[in-house]
């Protein structure tokens, strides 16, 4: 009888954001796959979860995905977690999910934490239509991607590291225009959660002299739609 792959979101900051169901799934799993066993060990200890755990990350997922999928087909219930948030969203997870689906193994993703949703909703920018970009290409294709996004009228969500934030904001201001509204969200659900709102020009200047720490989500307002008169 086939088992199941459970994709389990974990807190992006506050450990109390873990759901009851997620804890129960992890406690009953035959195996927990973790992006970093040291980081996940803190979470598992907090909730007294003793299921066996092993590493599953971007450096071994190509090799490990087929093996894990076969174990699911063989009847094991295996849970996949990342360091924080939902696996597959800018974290390992897609390859294993795809391989399980290819072989006909059951896959279930629990609802739960992911950083961009609270950042988007609390930013004050429109959240009825948005595009999630994750991390921008570091070099090749970056300018092209920014050019395409600058013409999108949906709210745009980008992940960034604190070290690269000033440079990215400068590039966004150059591509989108300095007057485009944006919000830089930091440390979602943690004690030092902050939201810096303003134009891209203002935010770029601010973070040039105020180096941030922690995980960053950038929310950018979409391009203003042209009116009928301006198009004629």
């Amino acid at each position: 009888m086939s088992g199941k792959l459970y994709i389990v979101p974990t807190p992006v900051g506050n450990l109390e954001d873990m759901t009851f169901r997620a804890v129960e799934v992890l406690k009953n799993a035959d195996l927990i796959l973790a992006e970093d066993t040291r980081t996940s060990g803190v979470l598992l200890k907090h909730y007294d979860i003793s299921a066996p755990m092993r590493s599953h990350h971007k450096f071994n997922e190509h090799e490990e995905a087929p093996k894990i999928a076969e174990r699911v087909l063989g009847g094991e219930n295996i849970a996949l977690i990342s360091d924080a948030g939902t696996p597959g969203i800018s974290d390992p997870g897609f390859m294993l999910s795809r391989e399980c689906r290819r072989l006909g193994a059951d896959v279930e993703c629990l609802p739960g934490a992911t950083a961009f949703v609270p950042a988007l909703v609390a930013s004050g920018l429109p959240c009825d239509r948005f595009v999630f970009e994750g991390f921008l290409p570091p070099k090749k294709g970056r300018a092209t991607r920014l050019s395409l996004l600058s013409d999108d009228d949906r709210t745009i969500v980008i992940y960034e590291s604190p070290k690269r934030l000033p440079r990215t904001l400068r590039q966004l201001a150059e591509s989108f225009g300095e007057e485009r509204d944006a919000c830089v969200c930091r440390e979602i659900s943690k004690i030092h959660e902050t939201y810096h709102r303003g134009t891209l020009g203002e935010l770029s200047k601010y973070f040039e002299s105020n180096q941030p720490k922690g995980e960053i989500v950038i929310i950018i307002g979409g391009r203003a739609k042209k009116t009928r008169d301006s198009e004629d």
Side-chain angles (χ1 to χ4, degrees):
M1 186 180 209
S2 178
K4 183 179 289 189
L5 172 67
Y6 291 93
I7 299 174
V8 183
T10 54
V12 296
N14 191 326
L15 290 181
E16 299 307 311
D17 289 338
M18 194 73 167
T19 68
F20 291 113
R21 185 175 171 219
V23 172
E24 193 66 19
V25 166
L26 293 180
K27 283 187 173 182
N28 291 299
D30 295 307
L31 175 67
I32 297 172
L33 302 174
E35 186 178 4
D36 186 322
T37 54
R38 293 167 299 179
T39 299
S40 296
V42 175
L43 175 70
L44 301 189
K45 183 178 180 180
H46 182 80
Y47 284 102
D48 194 26
I49 297 169
S50 58
M53 176 173 56
R54 62 186 280 188
S55 296
H56 185 86
H57 45 67
K58 64 181 180 180
F59 301 109
N60 71 0
E61 61 179 337
H62 285 274
E63 179 182 352
E64 290 295 311
K67 300 175 185 177
I68 297 300
E70 290 289 351
R71 291 180 63 170
V72 174
L73 278 175
E76 293 187 65
N77 291 315
I78 296 179
L80 173 67
I81 59 177
S82 61
D83 289 348
T86 301
I89 304 298
S90 295
D91 277 325
F94 161 68
M95 290 183 184
L96 180 54
S97 175
R98 179 181 62 182
E99 186 65 14
C100 285
R101 289 296 189 191
R102 187 183 73 82
L103 296 179
D106 286 341
V107 178
E108 182 174 349
C109 181
L110 277 61
T114 188
F116 79 82
V117 173
L120 172 63
V121 174
S123 70
L125 291 165
C127 53
D128 56 332
R129 296 174 64 247
F130 63 92
V131 55
F132 173 69
E133 280 294 309
F135 289 95
L136 292 169
K139 294 180 180 179
K140 185 178 180 180
R142 187 179 179 93
T144 300
R145 181 68 59 81
L146 288 173
S147 178
L148 290 172
L149 290 172
S150 68
D151 200 41
D152 201 311
D153 61 9
R154 297 170 293 180
T155 299
I156 299 161
V157 182
I158 294 172
Y159 283 168
E160 190 51 281
S161 73
K163 182 178 180 180
R164 294 194 298 262
L165 180 64
R167 169 176 170 261
T168 295
L169 288 173
R170 285 197 305 272
Q171 293 175 330
L172 287 168
E174 291 169 359
S175 297
F176 290 48
E178 293 195 356
E179 297 307 310
R180 185 79 69 93
D181 288 331
C183 180
V184 174
C185 316
R186 186 178 71 88
E187 297 288 78
I188 299 299
S189 86
K190 298 180 182 178
I191 295 175
H192 301 293
E193 178 177 323
T194 56
Y195 293 82
H196 293 274
R197 301 174 178 87
T199 65
L200 284 172
E202 292 168 342
L203 292 170
S204 178
K205 290 178 182 177
Y206 176 82
F207 284 105
E208 283 288 350
S209 55
N210 294 274
Q211 182 65 45
K213 295 180 180 180
E215 298 300 318
I216 304 291
V217 184
I218 307 172
I219 312 294
I220 310 155
R223 176 186 59 81
K225 293 182 180 179
K226 296 179 180 179
T227 64
R228 185 180 299 274
D229 291 340
S230 64
E231 291 175 339
D232 291 341

